[in-house]
Amino acid sequence: MASVPVYCLCRLPYDVTRFMIECDICQDWFHGSCVGVEEDKAAEIDLYHCPNCQVTHGPSVMRKRRGGNKQVDGGATGGRDPSQPVKTGSAQFVRELRSRTFPNADEILLKPSGAQLTVEFLEEHSFSVPVMVLRRDGLGMTLPPSSFGVSDVEHYIGSDKEIDVIDVSRQCDLKMRLGDFVEYYNSPNRDRVLNVISLEFSETRLSNLVETPKIVRKLSWVENLWPEESVFERPNVQKYCLMGVKDSYTDFHIDFGGTSVWYHVLRGEKIFYLISPTPANLALFERWSSSSNQNEMFFGDQVDMCYKCSVKQGNTLFIPTGWIHAVLTPVDCLAFGGNFLHSLNIDMQLRAYEIEKRLSTADLFKFPNFETVCWYVGKHLLDTFRGLRENRRHPATYLVHGAKALNNAFRSWTRKEALAEHEVEIPETINTQALVKDLAKEIRLVEVNEITESLLMCLPAVFSGFSKKDGSSNGAGSAGNYKHVVTEGSSLSDLESEDELQIDETPPPRRKTAGLSLPRKLPRAKPCSDPNRIREPGEVDFDIEEDYTTDEEALAAHGVKGGAGGILDLLKASKQVAGLDSTEAPASPSTRDAIQGMLSMANPPSSSSSSSSSSPLSISGGLTEGLGRPGKRPIKRPARHLSDEESPDEQETLGTCFKDSDYVYPSLESDEEDHTNKTKMKRKKNWDDTPWSPKARVMPTLPKQDRPAREGARVASVETGLAAAAAKLAQQVSGGN
């Protein structure tokens, strides 16, 4: 039989029928009758000193009376001195709380059925607001019948189980035997209000009668990612039995480690007061928690909105990460619940953990081995990101943000000055330095792909102008359009200085053109379609659907003939100019580079075949490598500012680049234009290095001047290639009709 703690001068076990008072110096508990303190007089004591502590600290400190004698009538103050603040948890506090009006939580609650509450549902709504399920059907949850009572709890757990009990009126913790508490609970005359909220029963026989909701089992880090061979003790926070009598009250708090929590009321009712974890509210909560008069201030009065949510018998409430909440029990209540960490809001979980550390929360009230489970999750996320990348799939956005927050925490915990405090929770099986480095690399690869997608989203808008013209003209007209394309494409290369370009940071408005709506090339979540797919531990059961539709296919699907194929045909035809498929004289290296750059943008190579120009558009394949080559970007940004001495060298280089086998451009040999170019290069020194934005549009600040066509400036192979492309397009148009 386990030893029973003893208290007071008499050194006897706790007796629920006898009044006790805590010493503010030694923190021990004493029977009022043993130390000469009557229960009705205890409220007048501000700081109580037991007989032993009085020797060194003097007598107890009594409260100072302000405003005369106590009220003796039972008016609005209920016999309470109106000059004294109402203590949290007192009978007067509960009466006033019951009489107050709060905004109804129905304004923010989601109320799906049990079958609708899936991982996909929470992903869509980010699990950022509380969720109420009115009936347990479909939740995949096992519970005892509603006739199950506290005496049955005692039967399955054992009478001698020592439990933590809250004395509500004093808002302090006590230790009791479960059998003693059940006796108190069933007593018709209760001399105080006691509440049990931290009875975890995973390792007892009662665990066989309770199964957590299916959604919790799918999301829980501990249930899915905690290794069996771990030398650390497995955190048991999944199953709690809550037994509260009428008028029990738990003050505002955030569940340990930022865990989310589920509650199911088996008998009775619970009232939750819910506050959203906005940055302002979290800062206010931290200040309130550390104040000396916390038990005299109702935190709900300090925030802009505090919602009231009644959870009645048979209801199940899910509270998301970080939500600040208090709980009132209006009638005797028996409930079951549990806490769980998950990947839907990793950042908020880490914020709550940091708040706990700043408030110097005792280990008893913190999530067990929180940092250890985070390391296991970090290793799992690294493996997940690698697997998705190898299969050319994307992780969900919330997972990328969570991995970034987690990796930042890892860096903080492993700094030289902080390592001694955190290394005790680092698993021996994890190489922390390699994990931090590799996870950061995977995150960067995902972010590069996201930027790439943003760039590719701009291509349909560029090609759509050509598509409309190509789709409404015949073969001869198409050739004319191709000439227009060449002219438009060459206009950018004529702008040889950055100061002739301006960046428009305003995103272009969406075109409301009837019949032409291009899909966004972004990953979308959809239910897992493979019935044979086996879920890995902690993996969310959903596929990421990616849009690999090429621009030409997308335009064809919207009824536009030719589509992006017009520009692709042009580029492929121009590829012949480079001497690959033509017997004509090859074009200059600069021309080949420009053509290859346009090809790489219009049809980026995959990681497995970078030379293929007709492969489907790959979001997560070899496009990353193509993006990393600045020489292929449509606009060159100088890596450094050029001095006046360096300008002539660049002009000489330009003079060499813009020559081909048949014609030397006189603009680079002209003294007049040479003077203009030197002036432009001098202005580069003052170029403003504006941050690049994928949504920015590049446009010339000055209109391009028309120049008369020069005889002999065209290469014969260009004419041949354009004619071939026009003929091919005409064949496509006629075939489509």
Side-chain angles (χ1 to χ4, degrees):
M1 179 177 176
S3 60
V4 179
V6 294
Y7 305 92
C8 191
L9 301 174
C10 60
R11 309 314 294 169
L12 293 177
Y14 178 76
D15 185 353
V16 69
T17 64
R18 299 180 63 185
F19 162 71
M20 298 186 74
I21 187 170
E22 183 185 27
C23 176
D24 289 291
I25 303 299
C26 66
Q27 308 295 313
D28 199 2
W29 287 85
F30 299 86
H31 297 112
S33 58
C34 293
V35 294
V37 177
E38 298 179 11
E39 183 173 4
D40 57 349
K41 301 294 184 182
E44 300 177 7
I45 302 175
D46 189 17
L47 296 174
Y48 173 70
H49 299 167
C50 69
N52 295 330
C53 295
Q54 285 182 10
V55 178
T56 55
H57 293 81
S60 301
V61 179
M62 307 303 289
R63 294 186 182 277
K64 295 181 179 180
R65 293 191 176 188
R66 294 174 297 178
N69 297 327
K70 285 188 175 182
Q71 301 291 330
V72 295
D73 60 331
T77 60
R80 179 185 63 86
D81 183 357
S83 64
Q84 296 293 327
V86 178
K87 292 292 184 180
T88 300
S90 65
Q92 179 65 22
F93 171 88
V94 172
R95 285 195 297 269
E96 292 184 6
L97 183 61
R98 284 173 174 271
S99 64
R100 293 186 56 175
T101 302
F102 294 87
N104 196 317
D106 287 343
E107 300 178 16
I108 58 169
L109 284 177
L110 295 175
K111 292 187 177 181
S113 66
Q116 290 174 328
L117 186 58
T118 62
V119 174
E120 292 77 19
F121 179 90
L122 293 181
E123 285 179 331
E124 180 180 353
H125 298 87
S126 303
F127 195 20
S128 58
V129 296
V131 177
M132 172 82 82
V133 179
L134 300 180
R135 300 181 60 186
R136 55 187 279 192
D137 300 340
L139 280 176
M141 178 172 55
T142 303
L143 291 169
S146 58
S147 59
F148 194 84
V150 294
S151 297
D152 298 303
V153 174
E154 179 186 6
H155 170 73
Y156 281 96
I157 294 181
S159 300
D160 295 329
K161 171 73 173 178
E162 186 177 75
I163 61 174
D164 293 304
V165 181
I166 297 177
D167 187 327
V168 175
S169 62
R170 294 174 175 80
Q171 289 291 291
C172 61
D173 296 324
L174 304 174
K175 294 287 187 180
M176 290 183 65
R177 291 174 60 251
L178 177 57
D180 292 335
F181 176 80
V182 172
E183 181 182 355
Y184 153 82
Y185 191 100
N186 293 327
S187 173
N189 300 316
R190 302 164 181 161
D191 59 347
R192 65 182 70 187
V193 179
L194 301 179
N195 191 21
V196 173
I197 62 173
S198 56
L199 175 55
E200 215 286 335
F201 59 89
S202 293
E203 303 297 328
T204 71
R205 291 191 303 136
L206 181 57
S207 181
N208 299 326
L209 303 182
V210 178
E211 184 66 271
T212 60
K214 182 179 179 181
I215 187 67
V216 174
R217 300 196 303 272
K218 279 195 170 188
L219 293 175
S220 172
W221 281 357
V222 173
E223 295 215 16
N224 292 286
L225 299 178
W226 189 270
E228 293 292 336
E229 66 278 6
S230 176
V231 298
F232 295 90
E233 183 179 358
R234 186 178 189 267
N236 284 327
V237 296
Q238 290 78 29
K239 297 179 180 180
Y240 284 97
C241 179
L242 301 94
M243 299 175 287
V245 300
K246 179 183 177 182
D247 293 341
S248 294
Y249 176 78
T250 305
D251 209 1
F252 286 97
H253 63 282
I254 299 174
D255 279 286
F256 47 43
T259 50
S260 299
V261 61
W262 66 275
Y263 290 97
H264 177 86
V265 175
L266 190 70
R267 301 177 65 177
E269 181 182 358
K270 292 276 189 183
I271 298 176
F272 287 79
Y273 300 91
L274 303 168
I275 297 174
S276 176
T278 64
N281 288 344
L282 289 176
L284 290 170
F285 172 78
E286 189 170 351
R287 186 175 66 180
W288 171 79
S289 299
S290 58
S291 62
S292 59
N293 59 339
Q294 175 186 3
N295 64 343
E296 298 176 357
M297 296 185 295
F298 183 71
F299 181 67
D301 293 334
Q302 301 185 26
V303 297
D304 59 343
M305 199 67 68
C306 178
Y307 298 96
K308 179 180 178 180
C309 175
S310 295
V311 184
K312 301 185 181 300
Q313 182 169 319
N315 296 165
T316 307
L317 178 67
F318 296 84
I319 301 179
T321 301
W323 275 70
I324 309 163
H325 58 283
V327 187
L328 174 67
T329 306
V331 295
D332 290 359
C333 179
L334 175 61
F336 291 99
N339 297 73
F340 59 102
L341 295 168
H342 55 81
S343 298
L344 293 175
N345 205 337
I346 298 176
D347 184 35
M348 184 61 73
Q349 290 172 173
L350 293 169
R351 288 190 206 174
Y353 178 66
E354 292 300 322
I355 290 175
E356 289 176 354
K357 291 201 298 183
R358 288 194 295 269
L359 293 175
S360 300
T361 304
D363 292 339
L364 178 64
F365 305 108
K366 295 167 73 173
F367 189 95
N369 296 322
F370 176 85
E371 294 184 14
T372 303
V373 70
C374 285
W375 284 108
Y376 289 137
V377 172
K379 178 63 169 60
H380 173 75
L381 289 178
L382 175 61
D383 295 339
T384 300
F385 281 25
R386 283 174 171 171
L388 290 174
R389 178 168 55 84
E390 291 170 1
N391 289 284
R392 301 170 71 177
R393 296 170 61 207
H394 283 282
T397 302
Y398 71 83
L399 207 58
V400 179
H401 293 167
K404 186 182 295 186
L406 196 59
N407 216 31
N408 289 336
F410 290 160
R411 288 192 176 97
S412 175
W413 298 342
T414 53
R415 287 196 182 102
K416 184 177 180 180
E417 62 273 14
L419 184 59
E421 176 187 353
H422 299 278
E423 63 181 348
V424 66
E425 290 197 50
I426 299 176
E428 294 181 356
T429 57
I430 291 181
N431 184 332
T432 58
Q433 292 183 349
L435 175 59
V436 170
K437 180 180 178 181
D438 293 343
L439 187 56
K441 176 183 176 182
E442 293 297 328
I443 293 171
R444 284 196 301 270
L445 289 175
V446 172
E447 290 179 335
V448 166
N449 281 342
E450 290 178 352
I451 296 175
T452 303
E453 291 171 3
S454 299
L455 288 173
L456 293 176
M457 287 169 58
C458 300
L459 290 179
V462 175
F463 294 151
S464 62
F466 305 123
S467 303
K468 292 183 202 176
K469 297 175 184 177
D470 295 344
S472 60
S473 59
N474 55 25
S478 299
N481 287 333
Y482 282 132
K483 294 179 183 179
H484 176 69
V485 170
V486 174
T487 305
E488 291 292 321
S490 62
S491 63
L492 283 178
S493 63
D494 289 341
L495 298 174
E496 297 160 8
S497 174
E498 294 279 352
D499 57 5
E500 292 194 18
L501 299 175
Q502 67 178 8
I503 302 299
D504 182 4
E505 296 293 344
T506 305
R510 293 186 178 180
R511 299 186 179 183
K512 300 181 179 179
T513 306
L516 184 62
S517 176
L518 294 171
R520 292 169 56 89
K521 291 183 175 60
L522 293 176
R524 298 183 294 274
K526 68 173 184 177
C528 179
S529 57
D530 184 1
N532 299 320
R533 177 178 172 190
I534 300 177
R535 180 175 66 87
E536 297 181 3
E539 180 185 359
V540 177
D541 278 346
F542 70 94
D543 288 330
I544 296 297
E545 177 187 12
E546 297 188 46
D547 188 354
Y548 290 102
T549 308
T550 60
D551 295 308
E552 45 198 321
E553 293 170 347
L555 288 167
H558 289 78
V560 181
K561 301 298 183 181
I567 187 64
L568 293 177
D569 285 341
L570 167 65
L571 296 174
K572 292 174 183 176
S574 301
K575 191 174 182 181
Q576 298 178 359
V577 180
L580 299 179
D581 301 314
S582 175
T583 57
E584 301 287 344
S588 65
S590 60
T591 305
R592 290 198 300 269
D593 288 344
I595 292 173
Q596 187 59 40
M598 296 178 69
L599 283 170
S600 65
M601 288 188 61
N603 198 6
S606 65
S607 58
S608 59
S609 177
S610 60
S611 61
S612 175
S613 61
S614 59
S615 60
L617 191 62
S618 174
I619 301 298
S620 58
L623 191 58
T624 302
E625 181 181 355
L627 187 67
R629 294 179 296 177
K632 299 302 180 183
R633 291 173 63 176
I635 300 176
K636 298 180 182 179
R637 298 193 179 278
R640 56 191 175 90
H641 296 296
L642 301 177
S643 63
D644 293 339
E645 291 78 7
E646 291 175 305
S647 299
D649 294 337
E650 180 169 336
Q651 291 301 315
E652 182 179 354
T653 302
L654 290 175
T656 303
C657 291
F658 284 82
K659 297 178 183 179
D660 58 30
S661 57
D662 294 340
Y663 192 78
V664 177
Y665 290 81
S667 60
L668 299 180
E669 305 295 336
S670 170
D671 293 339
E672 178 183 354
E673 293 195 11
D674 183 63
H675 174 73
T676 304
N677 289 333
K678 288 183 179 180
T679 304
K680 293 176 182 177
M681 293 307 300
K682 289 181 180 179
R683 289 201 299 268
K684 278 189 177 183
K685 294 190 297 181
N686 299 323
W687 176 60
D688 182 15
D689 189 10
T690 305
W692 175 79
S693 169
K695 297 182 179 179
R697 291 177 293 174
V698 181
M699 58 184 66
T701 57
L702 297 176
K704 176 178 169 58
Q705 298 180 354
D706 294 331
R707 294 182 179 178
R710 296 189 291 270
E711 293 295 334
R714 292 172 178 158
V715 181
S717 59
V718 174
E719 299 288 352
T720 304
L722 294 178
K728 183 175 180 180
L729 179 63
Q731 184 178 1
Q732 291 179 349
V733 173
S734 60
N737 296 330

